[in-house]
Amino acid sequence: MESNFPVVDMGLLQTEKRPEAMDKIKDACENWGFFELVNHGISHELLDAVENLTKGHYKKCMEQRFKEMVASKGLEAVQTEIDDLDWESTFFLKHLPVSNVYEVPDLDDEYRKVMKDFALKLEKLAENLLDLLCENLGLEKGYLKKAFYGSKGPTFGTKVSNYPPCPKPDLIKGLRAHTDAGGIILLFQDDKVSGLQLLKDGNWIDVPPMKHSIVINLGDQLEVITNGRYKSIEHRVIAQQDGTRMSIASFYNPGSDAVIFPAPELIEKTEEDIKLKYPKFVFEDYMKLYAGLKFQAKEPRFEAMKAVETTVNLGPIETV
């Protein structure tokens, strides 16, 4: 099943094969909600440093804490499926609008510096990808970046996760099935230990581990702005009995006060579409709702935002 998973060589965008690469991105956005990037312009040296420092930090600062949590909850001995927690050890870094990389405790100076550098590279890659999506959608260059901008620019942060070996992978998920609430997600994942799966046509499909690649997936906000042409796709992490899987997911999201709505150019002038499948809302309000409903279907979230919409006075969007 894995072999058809879309892999996009960004190097081709500078060659006569650009149309094929753009088509592959378009097909991935329309039919998968996920694709894997190679030749993305982030150096292998930087990726190796991020991986080595992340794994070192986990061993030094996180592993023992995770074992204590498992012991305190008696998770090794569970007999029935656990549906209210994930078998993962995580911490978060914020980059935009304000970085907290130098405030997060327990990180070595070198690790902070490398993660800051990595975040800058990923931010540029995210903005480049948003423009490629604009090109495929027939939107003017910069439309998606502006749509995300709000008054203080986008929200950008990284979730650093490790999924340790799990004695009962059939009973405890690494991360339960969900769609991502935000904009565009850039994942640097372990190239040896697999576990990430996406739901396609009713089947769970592995996202293949590939060395030095970046996996891209689309969040709920891009589904709304593209009026459903692109979909956010349900995905999960299966815990493994052997090996600790590293996962560094960076979320390039709208600013908290950005007003999100379908791009007018993507609304068909049919009776059905004019009723609008998707709501118009302030991103922060969506996130408040999502916090309580992350592991449930996204459609009721969109419906709930429509109900709110009538009571919110949304002024004209600021384009910065």
Side-chain angles (χ1 to χ4, degrees):
M1 292 292 278
E2 285 175 17
S3 55
N4 341 337
F5 188 86
V7 177
V8 176
D9 181 346
M10 285 191 80
L12 298 180
L13 295 169
Q14 315 304 326
T15 71
E16 72 286 350
K17 294 201 167 154
R18 180 184 170 87
E20 290 162 47
M22 291 299 285
D23 272 352
K24 196 157 204 185
I25 293 171
K26 180 173 190 280
D27 178 68
C29 290
E30 288 176 353
N31 298 307
W32 291 79
F34 271 79
F35 51 98
E36 202 145 1
L37 292 180
V38 295
N39 292 323
H40 41 63
I42 300 177
S43 78
H44 292 179
E45 291 75 20
L46 179 56
L47 293 174
D48 290 342
V50 168
E51 179 169 356
N52 292 335
L53 289 162
T54 297
K55 288 181 171 174
H57 174 263
Y58 171 71
K59 280 202 168 56
K60 191 174 107 187
C61 301
M62 310 278 289
E63 191 169 37
Q64 190 53 34
R65 218 177 295 166
F66 185 78
K67 286 178 175 160
E68 286 164 10
M69 182 279 289
V70 168
S72 73
K73 291 189 181 334
L75 293 177
E76 280 114 333
V78 296
Q79 302 299 319
T80 53
E81 185 161 7
I82 302 277
D83 60 6
D84 61 350
L85 67 81
D86 303 304
W87 189 268
E88 63 171 3
S89 168
T90 61
F91 68 94
F92 292 87
L93 297 173
K94 292 179 187 162
H95 313 300
L96 294 174
V98 179
S99 169
N100 72 349
V101 171
Y102 285 95
E103 277 82 74
V104 174
D106 299 335
L107 305 184
D108 295 345
D109 286 348
E110 187 193 2
Y111 192 22
R112 292 181 203 276
K113 187 174 158 304
V114 163
M115 290 308 276
K116 206 160 170 76
D117 187 20
F118 186 41
L120 280 172
K121 302 276 194 306
L122 286 171
E123 183 190 335
K124 288 196 175 66
L125 179 58
E127 291 178 352
N128 182 11
L129 284 167
L130 288 177
D131 276 343
L132 295 174
L133 268 50
C134 284
E135 193 177 323
N136 272 338
L137 289 160
L139 296 170
E140 65 176 314
K141 191 174 180 189
Y143 181 91
L144 290 170
K145 186 179 171 183
K146 272 185 200 150
F148 281 24
Y149 208 84
S151 64
K152 298 191 259 322
T155 309
F156 186 46
T158 298
K159 177 186 177 190
V160 180
S161 309
N162 282 277
Y163 297 93
C166 178
K168 300 279 178 78
D170 50 331
L171 297 179
I172 309 177
K173 294 281 180 296
L175 182 58
R176 291 159 287 169
H178 63 288
T179 66
D180 287 331
I184 191 163
I185 298 86
L186 305 94
L187 168 71
F188 175 40
Q189 66 165 348
D190 208 290
D191 63 322
K192 294 185 185 65
V193 184
S194 64
L196 178 62
Q197 297 182 329
L198 64 91
L199 190 61
K200 180 164 166 56
D201 306 324
N203 298 311
W204 287 104
I205 297 177
D206 289 325
V207 177
M210 269 173 68
K211 196 158 180 66
H212 297 138
S213 73
I214 301 281
V215 177
I216 305 299
N217 73 286
L218 309 181
D220 295 348
Q221 308 311 305
L222 283 176
E223 178 167 336
V224 173
I225 296 170
T226 65
N227 200 33
R229 291 209 193 171
Y230 295 170
K231 298 274 195 294
S232 62
I233 296 295
E234 209 171 314
H235 51 285
R236 68 183 186 184
V237 176
I238 297 298
Q240 306 291 348
Q241 279 183 303
D242 306 312
T244 294
R245 174 178 173 267
M246 176 197 77
S247 159
I248 301 174
S250 296
F251 299 81
Y252 187 100
N253 290 348
S256 56
D257 63 354
V259 179
I260 303 300
F261 55 91
E265 296 89 324
L266 301 181
I267 297 173
E268 304 293 334
K269 298 295 178 262
T270 61
E271 187 63 29
E272 180 190 341
D273 223 19
I274 286 170
K275 286 199 194 109
L276 289 186
K277 290 182 287 204
Y278 293 98
K280 179 177 185 177
F281 53 84
V282 177
F283 179 60
E284 188 175 37
D285 292 340
Y286 188 84
M287 290 309 284
K288 284 178 190 155
L289 183 72
Y290 177 84
L293 304 173
K294 174 172 179 174
F295 299 108
Q296 296 173 29
K298 64 190 166 187
E299 289 74 17
R301 301 200 286 264
F302 292 147
E303 286 306 314
M305 294 318 294
K306 280 187 196 171
V308 172
E309 185 180 6
T310 50
T311 64
V312 179
N313 176 21
L314 300 169
I317 188 165
E318 288 281 335
T319 48
V320 178

